[in-house]
Structure formats: C-alpha cells, structure tokens
Amino acid sequence: MTVILVSSDNQDFKVDKEVAERSILIKNMLEDVGESDSPIPLPNVTAAVLTKVIEYCEHHRNDPVQVPEETDDPRKRSNDIEEWDMKFMQVDQEMLFEIILAANYLDIKPLLDVGCKTVANIIKGKTPEEIRKAFNIVNDFTPEEEAQIKKENEWAEDR
Amino acid sequence: MDPDRKEKLPDRQASSAFFSEQSRVGMNADRTDDDVSVKAKNDVKDIESKSKASKDHSDSGDTEGLGRKKITLGDMPAETLIHIGLTLPCREFGRFLQTNRTIHSCLNSHYVWHQRFTTRFGQTVLEDKLNSPNSNNPSKLSPPLTPRGLSQYNNHLDPVSAPSSPLPSAASSPRLNPSLPHTPPPNPSDDGSESDGNGNNGNGEGSSSSHAKRAPKGKGRRIDLRRTNMAPKEMLIDMYKQMSRLTLPAEDMMIAHMGNQFWRMIASGESRYGRLAELASVWWMDVVAVFYGVPPGRYKVQWRVKVTSDAPIVNTEFRAVLFDKHEDLNTVEEKPNTLTFKPTSKQEFIEQTDSQGGRVNKRPFRNLFKGFTTLELPGELLVEDDYRGVFVQIRNHDAWKSGLYIDYVRLVNVDEPEQRKESLVYGFHGQRVAAGNEPVDDEGEEYYPSTSSSSASSAGLLPWLQQVCGINPHTRTDPRPQFRSRAGRQFNPVQPSALLDVGARSVPVPNSTSTPVGGSTSSSQGGQGQSRKAVDEEGQPVERPDACLPL
C-alpha cells in the first residue's frame, strides 16, 4: 500500500506505507486518517530534504522499530554509525541540519540519532573557537563571561 | 545591519558571512526572550523574514537560492541541541557549552545534566548518594561509593585491632555499609580520626543500621525515580566531576584499617595530591578504589606506589574487575577478575613497573625501595559499548606487612594517543625489556661493589662518587656468574659468607616479611634484614642520588 507525501514546495512523493511509517508522526497521522488515500502534507519539509529522508527510510525499512528505552541506552555514543549511514550523511552542513530538523519533526528517532552523532563527530576534538568556526556560531559572551564559563568547565577537559 | 560589521568578519565565503550575520540578527532579536523553546518555534519564521530583508542590503548573494532559510547550529530547536549535547563526550560537551549563550543556556540545564549523569553512571549510584545522610550537603564532595560486602568485616576483624580498637560494631562503620557512600569525616583534620575504630565518622549515625539491614536486591533493584529526579543541578555536576575521574588519589580509596595505627594518611610533597596513604603495619591489607562511568575503550591500570619492603608486594593480589552500572555493588567484589596480578617475587613485581630497564636504572631494586614507582597491571581492561565501572583492589590477607605508600591509582586509555604515552607498555617508558631475559649489563655490580672499592677507604671524593654511582673502576669484563641473573638470586639465597668479600651490603632475604618500617638503619656486613641505604666504610648511611627517579 502506498501513501503520498507532499513537501512544502508541493512536490509529491509516493512511498510504501511501511517505509512511511518509520516516521512516527506519519504513522500516527495514517492511523487517524484511516483508509483514505489523501496525500499527507508536510509543510516543514522541503522536497530535497524529503528525498533524503525517504532514502533513509527505504534503506532501513526492515530495521526493528525501536521502543523507547531508558535513558541509559547505548545509542548515545558517537562511534557506532554504520557505514551506509556515514556515507548517507556526507552532505553539506545545511543539508545535515535540515535532515536533523526533518527527523525531529517527523519523529524518526534513528535518523535523528545518526544526524546528531554526525554533528557530534564534527565537534569532536575541537576547541570552542573551532566549534564556532565550524558551525558559524556567534560568540555573544562578554570576555568576562567567557572566561568564567571556561573556568567552570575546565574540569571536563581531562575526563 | 551596518556594512562595517561585514568587513570585520574574517575572510570566508560570502554566503557564510551572510549567514553568520543573519544568525546574529536572529539571536539579538530573541535575546530578550528567556524561553529558548519559544524562540525555537519562532526561529524559522524569523530567519526567513530577516534573510529576505538582509539580502536586500547585502551584495553577497545567497548561493543556495532565493528565499531559502539557511540554518546554523545555533538556530536548531532546543530539543535538537539537547540531543546533540547528550551525544557528546564529556570534554566536547564542556567545550560546546562555551560557544555561545543560546547553547549554554540550553545545555547547562538540570535536565541535561541529569541525563548525562544517569547515562554515564546510572541511576543506582545516584539513588545511593541521595540516600546518604550527606545528601543535604550537596556541595560536599564525597568519594565514590563503597561496594564492600556487608558481612565481610562483620565478624572478621584484624586480630590485633579487635581488642585495641574502640570500635562498637563493624556493621555501623559507614565504610562497611554498602548503602552508604564512603565519606571522609567532616572535620578537616582527618589524620587518623577516620579509622573504623571511630565507628560513625559523623556519617552513619542512626540511619546506618537501618540501611545496613536493607539488602539491595541486585540487578532488579528498583530505583525511586522521584528522589533521583530531584537531585539539584549543582549536586549533579559536582557528583559528575567527582565520579568521572580516571585517577583516584589515596584519600579517595577505601583502605581497610585506615586510621592511625595501621594505615595513615600523611602529608607529602611527593604526591601531586599532597597526601599519601602510608602503611605502618597491617595484617589484613585491603585497598579498594572504584571508578565509575568509565567510557568505552581499552585501559591499563596503574598504581603509583612507593615500596620499601617485600612484604606488601609479594603474594599480594592486584586486581581489577569490570562491572555494569546496574550491578549491585555488593557483589562486585566477588566477581571473577578481569585483570589480576599476583607477584610471587619482588622480581615479578618489578617487571611490571617502570623501575627497571632503560639506561638509567642500574639498581632497580634499590630504586624500588627508595622512591615512587608505577605499577602497571598486565593485560588491558576492555570497556565496550557502554559506560562501565572498574573496581580495583590490592589485597593480601596473610601475614604482617609494612612499607607501602600509595599515591594514586589510575586508568590509562591506550586508545587515546595522548594518554597512550603514559602507559608503561606502550609509552616512552616502555622500552622496558622483559626481565629475566635481559642480561644484566651492570657487570654484576649492583649490590656488591667489588673488593677494590672497599679499599677506597682512602679518603677522597672520587672513590665516594664511584661507590655512590656504582662505578667500579676495577671491574673485570667477566662478571661473576652468580650475579648475572637477578632472578636466580631470588631462588638461591646467597649465604652471607659468600658476601664477605664484596662489601658492606647484605642480600635481602627472599620473601621476608620485614620488620615494620621504622627507619631502619643500615646493616652491617653479612647482616640480615632489609638494607635500604648504602653504607660507606664507616657504616654511615650514604644518600644515593635519585636524580633518575621521577618523583
């Protein structure tokens, strides 16, 4: 059974229901809508991003659906991204963030995890200034604040 | 925005300059808004409208196409930032907090710290800490929990200490109580007032006995989440700081019979922590340290100790056990060893330290007995997939021993390049050669300066120097065979008579459990017992230069 997803720029995407239901948001919508064939609008996701998202869901369509686990699940470590996922995530930063936002909106936890791990991997090994440069973050601390926060977090340097 | 700002920006791609401009705009607009999540909702719209507005002013175009919002990390909704923050390891998290205000206020929250804490250390320790009577003083930094078995010390006291120590009952001692964290006594001067002879140490009081009766159930132990969720942020951060350490000083170890009589804490400049645990004399030697939340990786366990006699190291077990966050700490001690090392001889011990080999140490035994050495347990701890705890222990429950100083114990992550250097096996020191195989290269002149140097009674600086440095100008090229292998010496006790012609030093009798440390003086020729100092002809102790020892 296929469903139709409509991106913010009015592009239609036909996907299998099983694939679409990797997104919990879509899954819930489909349950609410019932057997109707009407397309599902996704106003927060553009076509380019939706393409990527669908690609991910297709590839992982057979993965076991993750149940919400306790806080101490092992997903949170950055060193275990699959190879396919790593290649999949080799996009420019903007697309990376878009994917993360889309995964967040569509409630696709594995994709969100992979996205965040990718960002975490970019952050790894960088000093605060380098992080700012990498992500175009503006430093809006005053020098005193900056020094103070640095001091507060100094202990983390060797942990 | 004024065009001047753009010019001050570092040289980047035009689009990047444009978008950092834009994100600054976005943040300024929202700075009055304290609620980050509200900001997040408005984010996308703001950026979009402002991007259109700014575009009209700027020369640099949006290379991605008109009207598309460009997102930076700072513009991500709070929940996403939090998700990223939770994925970061400790060091990167600290650095990430320093990048800007939005990120800092989003990530330096109670929720995030709670999540980080429980992910790394688990809920069990959090609950235990909260249950301790010290929980109303969250700023007090307690050392890690004691996992000691409840009944272990109940009836078994050191045979000497039993009559002499004024200890009411072992069960009420907080250190022995599995539910209570081991804390140093509240009084700042804790030089010996924290012995288990003093029972409560200001910690257990009335509640300890009730806690003692409640046996934790093990893996299925239920956590009261209402309590653990209520731990304040500052307390969580403090506990995180304390518990994430991979180096534990002596004062944060659980040392049985720490007090005045058997073990004591002494101030010392030789330790970077300023304090050492000094073993005066004890029968039941049991030192435990627990690392919590050790990140995945491969680790070597290192103890920095000063050993002044055989007894505390020979037949002493040095072990390490991995345990999960959820495991009942009482059972950890009984678990099978992950790593274990039990030297049956001084030689074996030395092989695992940095006191041997290399160009510098011609007299390793002497160095071992004079200054600090680092013992690295053979084998590696493999922590994989999840944060785990590491329980390390030194134990020897037979016979009296004395002459041990403990500085710290640490885990060295050999997967991290900077730390790998610290390992004896992988690092710089690690030009150590497997002992026993290496031919002795000091021409047999370790303990036994040759006869001719004994004739250096002729006064003068040179003979003294030679003796002190172990230089024997009259050495034959053919070292006497009985001195070639140190290992051999261990098993063949040398008769004192054989030493008659070699000078003033005596052989330490193998496996001797020595007399307690009491600053023994040098022994004379053919004497028994430990000789720690070189003697010159007059029997006066001669100070050896310890220039080669990193102290």
Side-chain angles (χ1 to χ4, degrees):
Chain A
M1 171 157 179
T2 60
V3 295
I4 303 172
L5 307 175
V6 185
S7 68
S8 60
D9 35 6
N10 288 323
Q11 204 171 330
D12 285 5
F13 293 83
K14 270 211 180 64
V15 287
D16 283 346
K17 188 170 182 219
E18 189 188 38
V19 170
E21 286 190 339
R22 303 298 298 183
S23 154
I24 306 296
L25 180 82
I26 295 179
K27 181 163 185 264
N28 292 339
M29 277 189 195
L30 289 176
E31 278 172 15
D32 291 342
V33 159
E35 284 302 315
S36 157
D37 271 338
S38 49
I40 296 182
L42 300 173
N44 285 1
V45 189
T46 63
V49 181
L50 192 51
T51 315
K52 283 292 266 184
V53 170
I54 291 174
E55 186 190 338
Y56 181 89
C57 295
E58 285 275 2
H59 185 265
H60 287 271
R61 66 189 296 163
N62 294 322
D63 285 359
V65 176
Q66 294 197 329
V67 282
E69 294 182 31
E70 292 176 5
T71 55
D72 48 348
D73 60 43
R75 282 180 295 151
K76 298 274 193 306
R77 258 149 304 291
S78 292
N79 49 0
D80 49 355
I81 306 182
E82 290 177 13
E83 208 185 311
W84 187 91
D85 287 348
M86 221 169 340
K87 280 214 186 67
F88 174 81
M89 281 296 173
Q90 273 166 7
V91 292
D92 62 33
Q93 222 178 72
E94 189 211 354
M95 177 57 82
L96 173 60
F97 292 140
E98 301 252 17
I99 292 176
I100 292 177
L101 284 178
N104 190 38
Y105 169 68
L106 293 171
D107 197 354
I108 309 174
K109 263 218 172 308
L111 180 56
L112 182 59
D113 277 345
V114 169
C116 291
K117 280 183 196 168
T118 309
V119 173
N121 281 341
I122 298 176
I123 293 177
K124 265 208 189 127
K126 294 189 162 69
T127 65
E129 187 51 47
E130 286 165 356
I131 298 174
R132 288 186 201 116
K133 268 213 184 63
F135 294 109
N136 293 334
I137 299 172
V138 175
N139 179 8
D140 50 1
F141 287 125
T142 67
E144 299 81 29
E145 281 172 338
E146 196 176 340
Q148 187 205 347
I149 292 181
K150 180 170 175 185
K151 194 150 163 265
E152 269 173 22
N153 288 294
E154 236 163 21
W155 61 269
E157 279 298 310
D158 55 352
R159 301 299 167 86
Chain B
M1 301 301 295
D2 50 328
D4 291 344
R5 296 202 94 183
K6 263 201 215 50
E7 281 154 22
K8 285 186 201 136
L9 289 172
D11 200 20
R12 301 181 205 161
Q13 282 181 5
S15 52
S16 313
F18 165 68
F19 296 114
S20 64
E21 177 84 353
Q22 159 198 301
S23 57
R24 194 182 304 129
V25 166
M27 279 185 224
N28 279 337
D30 291 316
R31 196 172 305 188
T32 52
D33 200 22
D34 280 348
D35 187 356
V36 174
S37 53
V38 171
K39 166 195 177 317
K41 287 190 195 96
N42 296 329
D43 243 358
V44 169
K45 290 193 205 121
D46 278 345
I47 303 265
E48 210 164 350
S49 58
K50 285 189 172 70
S51 76
K52 288 209 169 91
S54 316
K55 266 183 65 58
D56 297 327
H57 297 118
S58 83
D59 307 325
S60 52
D62 177 359
T63 55
E64 300 293 330
L66 284 177
R68 256 189 83 191
K69 55 192 189 302
K70 184 127 178 180
I71 312 164
T72 67
L73 188 59
D75 305 326
M76 301 287 266
E79 52 189 343
T80 314
L81 280 180
I82 289 174
H83 208 271
I84 294 173
L86 290 177
T87 323
L88 290 173
C90 193
R91 182 177 58 179
E92 272 73 19
F93 182 74
R95 291 178 179 179
F96 195 43
L97 283 180
Q98 297 173 41
T99 46
N100 89 354
R101 278 180 199 221
T102 313
I103 292 176
H104 185 266
S105 65
C106 184
L107 292 183
N108 197 34
S109 66
H110 178 259
Y111 171 76
V112 171
W113 278 108
H114 182 91
Q115 289 294 96
R116 289 191 68 85
F117 186 95
T118 52
T119 306
R120 183 156 179 177
F121 304 111
Q123 296 269 15
T124 316
V125 292
L126 182 55
E127 190 184 47
D128 286 341
K129 289 269 184 183
L130 290 172
N131 282 339
S132 93
N134 272 331
S135 64
N136 48 3
N137 184 7
S139 60
K140 181 175 171 58
L141 303 181
S142 323
L145 273 182
T146 173
R148 313 323 284 282
L150 176 62
S151 59
Q152 183 184 3
Y153 294 111
N154 241 339
N155 300 315
H156 185 124
L157 288 175
D158 183 292
V160 171
S161 78
S164 57
S165 67
L167 123 96
S169 111
S172 66
S173 162
R175 202 193 70 248
L176 308 179
N177 189 315
S179 312
L180 294 178
H182 167 63
T183 56
N187 50 329
S189 65
D190 54 0
D191 51 343
S193 59
E194 59 178 294
S195 75
D196 52 353
N198 289 344
N200 290 324
N201 291 349
N203 179 16
E205 278 111 13
S207 57
S208 62
S209 46
S210 56
H211 281 293
K213 293 191 184 74
R214 178 193 64 161
K217 292 188 201 74
K219 207 159 185 192
R221 175 174 151 187
R222 263 181 306 153
I223 308 292
D224 185 353
L225 288 176
R226 281 169 305 166
R227 285 204 76 173
T228 56
N229 286 345
M230 280 173 50
K233 182 175 89 165
E234 288 68 32
M235 182 183 178
L236 287 169
I237 297 180
D238 275 344
M239 288 202 294
Y240 193 110
K241 258 195 241 188
Q242 275 290 81
M243 293 171 68
S244 58
R245 291 177 299 171
L246 290 181
T247 306
L248 292 176
E251 53 196 341
D252 290 334
M253 299 180 192
M254 266 106 20
I255 300 181
H257 303 300
M258 171 58 75
N260 247 329
Q261 184 177 358
F262 309 104
W263 283 93
R264 57 181 86 102
M265 294 298 299
I266 58 172
S268 165
E270 288 177 306
S271 162
R272 65 170 117 137
Y273 298 100
R275 287 156 71 77
L276 298 172
E278 177 191 49
L279 172 60
S281 169
V282 83
W283 180 281
W284 185 277
M285 183 167 85
D286 201 312
V287 177
V288 164
V290 185
F291 298 91
Y292 293 92
V294 177
R298 291 182 309 149
Y299 295 88
K300 302 285 276 175
V301 180
Q302 287 186 351
W303 289 89
R304 185 160 191 263
V305 293
K306 182 158 81 171
V307 183
T308 54
S309 93
D310 275 7
I313 55 174
V314 175
N315 286 323
T316 294
E317 187 182 10
F318 297 82
R319 68 183 191 123
V321 183
L322 281 173
F323 64 93
D324 285 332
K325 313 199 265 268
H326 304 297
E327 276 189 55
D328 190 346
L329 294 171
N330 292 320
T331 62
V332 170
E333 201 163 352
E334 277 77 48
K335 279 183 73 167
N337 296 332
T338 312
L339 294 185
T340 183
F341 172 59
K342 194 167 180 178
T344 51
S345 68
K346 203 166 50 192
Q347 171 71 11
E348 253 188 81
F349 179 84
I350 289 177
E351 284 167 23
Q352 304 300 329
T353 68
D354 59 356
S355 283
Q356 140 167 10
R359 45 199 148 65
V360 222
N361 301 328
K362 287 206 161 217
R363 286 171 165 65
F365 291 148
R366 203 156 291 127
N367 284 333
L368 178 67
F369 282 30
K370 283 279 285 194
F372 275 90
T373 183
T374 299
L375 167 73
E376 186 172 274
L377 300 197
E380 285 168 7
L381 289 172
L382 177 61
V383 178
E384 47 186 358
D385 290 339
D386 194 4
Y387 294 100
R388 282 185 216 283
V390 177
F391 171 97
V392 295
Q393 186 177 31
I394 302 178
R395 69 176 167 188
N396 183 330
H397 299 160
D398 315 303
W400 284 102
K401 45 227 145 245
S402 59
L404 178 66
Y405 297 79
I406 301 180
D407 186 5
Y408 61 73
V409 61
R410 70 173 170 178
L411 299 181
V412 174
N413 187 345
V414 297
D415 289 335
E416 296 250 340
E418 323 87 57
Q419 282 193 52
R420 196 180 164 94
K421 299 193 277 244
E422 300 288 319
S423 156
L424 299 188
V425 168
Y426 295 104
F428 297 141
H429 323 263
Q431 311 314 323
R432 283 174 28 199
V433 192
N437 302 335
E438 179 191 36
V440 168
D441 64 346
D442 54 358
E443 294 150 343
E445 287 307 314
E446 300 171 353
Y447 286 95
Y448 318 109
S450 81
T451 48
S452 37
S453 70
S454 65
S455 70
S457 50
S458 54
L461 196 53
L462 181 58
W464 175 86
L465 262 178
Q466 283 173 344
Q467 173 158 8
V468 161
C469 299
I471 300 166
N472 181 6
H474 302 289
T475 307
R476 297 160 201 74
T477 49
D478 230 336
R480 279 168 280 193
Q482 65 260 40
F483 301 128
R484 177 172 290 282
S485 159
R486 283 181 227 126
R489 199 179 305 120
Q490 286 298 319
F491 300 114
N492 306 320
V494 181
Q495 298 309 312
S497 54
L499 304 177
L500 279 176
D501 60 342
V502 292
R505 210 141 307 109
S506 66
V507 179
V509 177
N511 294 325
S512 64
T513 56
S514 62
T515 54
V517 170
S520 74
T521 53
S522 55
S523 59
S524 58
Q525 182 167 346
Q528 307 293 321
Q530 304 296 332
S531 156
R532 268 175 299 285
K533 293 188 189 280
V535 290
D536 61 14
E537 286 317 291
E538 292 77 42
Q540 304 299 322
V542 170
E543 271 314 299
R544 312 216 120 238
D546 277 332
C548 48
L549 276 183
L551 282 178

